[in-house]
Every structure is written in structure tokens, then in C-alpha cells.
Amino acid sequence: MKLIKILRSFVFVALMGTVLFSVNSCQDDDESGNIGFGTVVGTVTDADGTPVSDVTVTISGVNEEDITVTSGTDGTYTADNVSMKTHAVKFSKEGWLTVSVTVTAEKFDANKVVAANATLVNASAKITGTIIDAKNGGTPLADVTVSVGPAGSATSGSDGKYEIGNMVAADYTITFTKANYVTITKAIVKDDFVDGVVSLDVQMGGQELLRGLTADDLSGADKWYYNEYRGGGNADAYPHWDWACDYMCSLTFWGNWEEQWEGTTLRIRNDEDQRSNPADLDVFDSYTYGSKLITEDNKIMSLRIRTHNADEASPAYFGVQVIDLSAAQPTAVKVGDTKTWGSGNYTDFDFDLSDYVGKEVIIAVGIYRQQTGDYWKQLVLRAIRFADRKVENWDWLPGTDVVDGWKLSIETARSTMPHIKSSFTGISPISAGRNVSMSDGYPVAYHAWRDVAHVGAEWSFVPLRKDPEVFPSEGYIIKTRNTPDVDTKVPESYLYAKFSIASGHNQLTFSTRNFGSNYTFFKITAIQDNGTVTHLTPQSNTAQEASAANDGCWKFKHGDGGAGNPEGYASFVYDLSQFNGENVTIVLGVYNGAANTGENKLVIHTIDLN
């Protein structure tokens, strides 16, 4: 009996222990589930540290609801009764970019307070405009979706008006879309914002003048300032036709195109879902285009071409079309007959543009689909050239040299179009080697020049004796050969562009550097339309060493400046006021001013005309 009593006592104690353990466990669970409440505090400032008032601060997910408070005049705010767990804290105000920060349970301090500060970026800029319907007599067009990607979107109202606000002044691509209308894409840059506003009116429903493009699209076409564009990667007649000198792939293209060793190639759109496209010998299947001023000096357009996947029995069909946007009813007009070629050998075709002398017109070079089905023809463009006569082979543009040996004719300088840009860089946003790949090769890098006003895309490069270095981090480099031939009259290579000189637009600043202990010899020359040549003397410079040399050249040494040190470059400043009221071609060349001194390099960092 005694043993039974002892066993009963043991069981009772054990059961009590279990009950107590269970109760304590439940109490612990209740306490861990009791998160508690604290306070979120913070300060809202702008990029300069100035307090921003009236900012709506929203703390999400507190008891399945949001807590909203507003910052005061000193930028501070306080939000009480916030559960001490993870929350998103959003800061929003009209005219500012919305930002969010996150607080977690671990960030609450011993006093149950957590700080969540924010810096807001002013976004008071906006894009506004009116969209009209070309299909219906220019009436307002409603329900057009206007999109600026992640920056925002809007829908046009019954009056055709739209507005996208809360933006930062920057570069944007805007698309206008509506069912049964051709989508329109427009690009704007930061400088287009005037007092924080870009006014962008658009006409939709216009007739396609080139496949996929209306008159409104073509009104913003790139300028074909120059009379020669070379494509491809092969070094035929080096250095004139070397890969590092051929920048045709920086032009605008529509459809299927690719840079190849043989040339910039227009191809029939031939993906499997495109093979049912009908034949059309009036509308280009793929093409390149630009806006060109035609004069007596450049009225003959020459194409140097070859083909791929074509032969004499089944050639590629191609041609040139011109659109005069100043006409009452602009249309695409063929220049001459549709051309054919089916050979891997280069040949030259010419097109007479005499009907357009005195006009700036859209010129398109394209390939036609001659039949439906699996039709994979390719037109290889090695050169697009303009002169007063046909240009053939690997020749330079014809005419009378402004300076003997320069291969720059008076006719070419006279018919070069004045540039509408005034600031240029030699820094490439993308670097690439001698690789023709369209994903990571030099064509992609060259095409990226368009976005930064790179000298390679915006100026014309003339490689008389030496090719350039295209992608160094310091800038675009033109250089000399290691040769005993001293010449301060004819450059090794040069770039040129034309500008309309006027008050407020007559000071040129060239930012540069070189390498090593040798001098680099260079010259900036102005060519007037009457052929007068003036070698310019810098008004001032900041080079470590610089002095005048023979034949208008300057020689200098300056080893400072780079991607991380833009202030370190030397600046040479030139006064162009003597040319006020004139269009003047500016030439920047590098010269072999000393014998056997290696590759003396001239870095083009920036060129500014202001």
C-alpha cells in the first residue's frame, strides 16, 4: 500500500509539472505574439539638405490599415502607434519623386522609436501637348496612350491634350499609341525642358511615307551633314576604309540591318512570321534615311554596294527615294528606276538629285521584297557619297582641294550642312574592340555615340595617313605615324564640321591631353564657303607646355585628364568672331611635326562652341 501511495504521489507531481509547463508555454506564446507598438520619426529634405514640408508620409500595414502623417515646416514628422514589425514608409508630394524606405522590428530602439529619413528629388518638370487626328481633318484625338516608360503615362482627353507631370528634366523616349493608328515615337533631351516644361504636339494617323514612318516622324530625321558615309569593317585602301574609320552604322535604320565586315547591310525582314509579307517594289522593306540639303556641289548621290544571298538570276532589288516635306502633299518619290544587283563584287550606282537642288529633303536608301516566302536578300552598303559627279571605287570625294593633300574639296566644304549641335564629346559610353558583333562589338558602341553627341558620329573623320584610337577612356584619339617625314601642312588625319558663327556662338573651346614626353602638333583651321583658309591661333590655353609651331600648328605637352578627372584636361580657346554671320567649316587635325617620335596622340575630350 505504501508503494502504491508513493506511485500515486509521483504521478500527481508529474501531471502537475506537465500542466505548469503547458501553462508557462502558453504564456510565452502569448508574449511572443504581443508585438507591441512604437513610434516612427524622421526628417524629409531635398538634395541640398533643405527641409521639405507637406510631404505625405504613409506607413503601410499597421493593423491592416495605413497610417498617414504630414511633414512639418522643418521637414520632420512623427507617427505613433506603429506595430513594431516590418513596414514600408512612403514619402510623396506633388512635384517630387515618390520614394520609399523600409523599417523592421530590429530597428526599433529601447524606447520603441525608429528613424526613417528621406531625401526627395524635385520632379516638377512635365511634358504636355496636343494630339491631332490626321485621318479626320486635324481634329483632336482622344484616348491616345502617351507613355514615358517608368517615368509615367497619360491618356489624351477629348480635346486631344495630355500632360505627364512629376518628372525630372532628363532624356526621354515618348511613345504615342492608339488602336488602328501608327505608333509614333519621339525623343527629347534634357535641354528641351524650358522652365521645366516640354511642349510636344503630335499628329497621328498620317499616311506612311516610308514603311512605318509618317511625315511627322520624318520631320525629326537625323541630318546627313556630310558628303561621305562609309560602312563595314574591312580595311580596303587603308586607312580611308579601315574599320575604325567607317561609322555608317551610327546612322538611323528601319527594319532589319546589320554591320558586317563587307559593309553596313540592309536585309529583308525574313523571320518565320514575316515570310508571308507580300512582295512590294514600291515600299522599302528595310532602309536607312536622313535629311540632306542638296546643292549643285552634291546633287549626284553614289552608292558603293555588293550583295549577299543574291546572284544574277535572283538579284537584290534596291533603290533611293526622296521625300520633300515642304510639299503640300509629301510623298516618297523614286529616284530613277528600281535597281538590281546580284554579286559579291563591289560596284557603284549613281542617282541624280538635281530636281531637289536648293532644298533639304529626306533621302532613303533601301531594299525591296521582290517575292513572298523565304526571301533572304541583303544589300551591303560600303559607301554613300554625294558630289557633283559619280564617285567610284575607293576614291576620295572629287573637287578642288582647299589645301593640297587634304582631300577636302572646296565643293565638299561648301555643301556641308551647318551643325545644329554645339557641344561634343570624345568619350564613348560603350567600349568595344575590333569585333563586328551586333550584341557587343563596335557597331553597338558606334551606335551609342548618337546618344552623347560623340565626335565620331557628329563630325566627319578623314584618315589621310593614320587610323584613330576609338575607345580609350581618355577620349577619341587621332595620332601620327612613327615616320621620319615631317609635315606641318598636311595632317595625318582630321575631323571637320560646319557651324553658323554669330554673336554668342563664336568661341570654340577644345579640351585635350597627350601622352609621354614628346610634343603633339595640332592645328584648328577655319574654311569659309568661298574657299578662304585661316589657321587659327588660340586666344588662351591651360596646357602644361604649349607654343606656336610651323605653318599655323601648335605643339603642346599635357599629361593630365581622364575619365575620373575631367577638370585635368588642357583647354585651348579660340575666338571666331571674325566669322560672325558666316557658315564656316572647322577642321581639327594632328600633324607629324617631329621625325621618328612614335605615335604622338591628340586626345579629343570635348569640343564646345558657345
Side-chain angles (χ1 to χ4, degrees):
M1 291 295 293
K2 185 176 181 180
L3 179 59
I4 292 172
K5 288 181 179 179
I6 292 172
L7 289 173
R8 285 176 176 171
S9 299
F10 177 80
V11 170
F12 177 78
V13 172
L15 289 171
M16 288 299 293
T18 301
V19 171
L20 289 172
F21 176 79
S22 299
V23 171
N24 287 337
S25 297
C26 290
Q27 289 175 343
D28 290 342
D29 286 345
D30 287 342
E31 288 177 3
S32 65
N34 183 12
I35 297 172
F37 293 87
T39 302
V40 179
V41 300
T43 304
V44 188
T45 60
D46 64 14
D48 298 323
T50 303
V52 182
S53 62
D54 299 321
V55 176
T56 299
V57 184
T58 303
I59 303 171
S60 65
V62 180
N63 294 333
E64 299 182 355
E65 294 181 357
D66 294 342
I67 289 178
T68 300
V69 295
T70 304
S71 64
T73 56
D74 59 354
T76 64
Y77 71 92
T78 300
D80 297 317
N81 298 318
V82 179
S83 52
M84 291 190 294
K85 61 180 184 179
T86 300
H87 296 284
V89 184
K90 183 175 70 174
F91 302 83
S92 58
K93 181 178 180 178
E94 183 73 20
W96 300 77
L97 287 184
T98 297
V99 299
S100 292
V101 300
T102 301
V103 297
T104 61
E106 295 77 13
K107 292 182 179 180
F108 285 86
D109 63 17
N111 297 317
K112 299 183 179 181
V113 176
V114 64
N117 302 316
T119 300
L120 298 189
V121 176
N122 190 290
S124 58
K126 61 184 178 180
I127 302 173
T128 66
T130 302
I131 306 168
I132 62 173
D133 187 354
K135 291 182 178 181
N136 294 289
T139 56
L141 185 60
D143 299 322
V144 176
T145 299
V146 186
S147 176
V148 198
S153 63
T155 302
S156 62
S158 58
D159 57 358
K161 297 184 181 299
Y162 70 92
E163 179 176 309
I164 303 175
N166 293 337
M167 301 185 68
V168 175
D171 298 351
Y172 295 103
T173 298
I174 306 114
T175 58
F176 300 80
T177 57
K178 182 178 172 70
N180 301 317
Y181 285 78
V182 176
T183 296
I184 291 178
T185 301
K186 294 289 186 181
I188 60 173
V189 298
K190 182 178 180 180
D191 290 345
D192 291 333
F193 286 87
V194 178
D195 295 329
V197 179
V198 168
S199 296
L200 185 59
D201 296 334
V202 169
Q203 173 179 283
M204 296 189 70
Q207 178 184 358
E208 287 188 355
L209 299 180
L210 294 171
R211 190 181 299 275
L213 300 180
T214 67
D216 195 55
D217 300 318
L218 294 171
S219 65
D222 291 339
K223 304 284 188 183
W224 283 6
Y225 296 103
Y226 308 106
N227 288 345
E228 181 178 55
Y229 295 92
R230 304 181 300 276
N234 290 333
D236 301 296
Y238 171 88
H240 188 194
W241 298 84
D242 180 66
W243 75 275
C245 309
D246 298 341
Y247 306 140
M248 189 188 293
C249 61
S250 67
L251 300 180
T252 303
F253 295 85
W254 193 98
N256 190 323
W257 73 280
E258 182 180 60
E259 188 74 357
Q260 300 180 359
W261 293 118
E262 297 84 0
T264 307
T265 304
L266 299 173
R267 310 189 296 186
I268 296 295
R269 295 171 298 143
N270 199 46
D271 293 341
E272 190 168 347
D273 62 342
Q274 298 168 331
R275 293 174 183 172
S276 60
N277 291 346
D280 195 330
L281 292 181
D282 292 316
V283 180
F284 291 138
D285 200 73
S286 297
Y287 56 91
T288 182
Y289 67 97
S291 184
K292 181 73 175 171
L293 176 63
I294 307 302
T295 74
E296 288 290 346
D297 294 319
N298 64 7
K299 64 186 178 182
I300 304 299
M301 177 183 185
S302 301
L303 299 182
R304 184 157 183 78
I305 69 157
R306 56 168 288 176
T307 56
H308 287 157
N309 299 328
D311 55 32
E312 188 174 353
S314 181
Y317 288 72
F318 69 97
V320 171
Q321 296 185 11
V322 172
I323 301 165
D324 180 3
L325 293 178
S326 67
Q329 293 292 329
T331 58
V333 178
K334 285 186 178 182
V335 180
D337 299 327
T338 298
K339 308 296 184 183
T340 62
W341 189 248
S343 172
N345 296 321
Y346 290 106
T347 191
D348 300 284
F349 288 83
D350 62 299
F351 300 83
D352 189 348
L353 305 175
S354 297
D355 289 344
Y356 304 99
V357 168
K359 292 185 175 182
E360 184 174 343
V361 294
I362 301 296
I363 297 178
V365 180
I367 185 171
Y368 298 103
R369 174 180 277 277
Q370 188 267 340
Q371 64 186 50
T372 194
D374 185 3
Y375 183 74
W376 186 226
K377 304 299 181 185
Q378 303 182 39
L379 178 71
V380 182
L381 298 173
R382 198 64 166 112
I384 301 173
R385 295 179 281 191
F386 298 86
D388 58 2
R389 70 202 79 166
K390 184 179 181 180
V391 186
E392 299 181 282
N393 302 314
W394 309 106
D395 295 349
W396 299 89
L397 294 177
T400 303
D401 270 4
V402 292
V403 177
D404 287 343
W406 278 27
K407 306 299 183 184
L408 176 61
S409 69
I410 294 173
E411 293 85 351
T412 295
R414 189 164 55 213
S415 57
T416 295
M417 296 170 62
H419 220 297
I420 60 174
K421 296 180 182 178
S422 57
S423 293
F424 309 91
T425 182
I427 304 293
S428 291
I430 300 174
S431 182
R434 193 176 185 273
N435 174 6
V436 79
S437 166
M438 292 298 289
S439 60
D440 59 2
Y442 74 79
V444 176
Y446 289 173
H447 210 63
W449 287 353
R450 296 160 52 88
D451 299 325
V452 296
H454 193 280
V455 292
E458 303 291 352
W459 290 52
S460 186
F461 178 61
V462 183
L464 293 175
R465 297 164 172 166
K466 185 64 178 171
D467 60 328
E469 293 182 23
V470 183
F471 300 118
S473 61
E474 295 85 0
Y476 185 94
I477 293 175
I478 57 177
K479 58 189 180 181
T480 65
R481 299 161 296 156
N482 183 22
T483 174
D485 302 322
V486 174
D487 194 337
T488 52
K489 292 184 178 180
V490 177
E492 301 286 276
S493 63
Y494 62 90
L495 296 103
Y496 72 91
K498 179 180 277 189
F499 299 95
S500 299
I501 308 301
S503 178
H505 195 67
N506 56 15
Q507 178 177 282
L508 186 145
T509 302
F510 171 45
S511 174
T512 185
R513 62 163 292 174
N514 67 354
F515 304 93
S517 58
N518 294 326
Y519 285 104
T520 294
F521 291 73
F522 78 98
K523 187 188 304 182
I524 291 183
T525 301
I527 303 169
Q528 295 163 263
D529 280 350
N530 63 8
T532 301
V533 174
T534 305
H535 302 306
L536 302 175
T537 299
Q539 188 178 39
S540 63
N541 75 86
T542 61
Q544 292 160 354
E545 295 183 45
S547 60
N550 293 334
D551 301 311
C553 284
W554 272 66
K555 63 179 184 179
F556 80 102
K557 296 179 185 178
H558 188 89
D560 202 4
N565 182 25
E567 296 81 11
Y569 291 91
S571 292
F572 288 80
V573 179
Y574 296 82
D575 180 9
L576 306 180
S577 60
Q578 62 180 301
F579 305 112
N580 280 359
E582 295 187 56
N583 293 328
V584 176
T585 301
I586 302 296
V587 178
L588 169 60
V590 64
Y591 294 76
N592 198 57
N596 300 317
T597 52
E599 290 186 342
N600 294 316
K601 300 179 180 182
L602 179 68
V603 175
I604 301 174
H605 174 236
T606 58
I607 303 173
D608 293 291
L609 187 65
N610 48 43

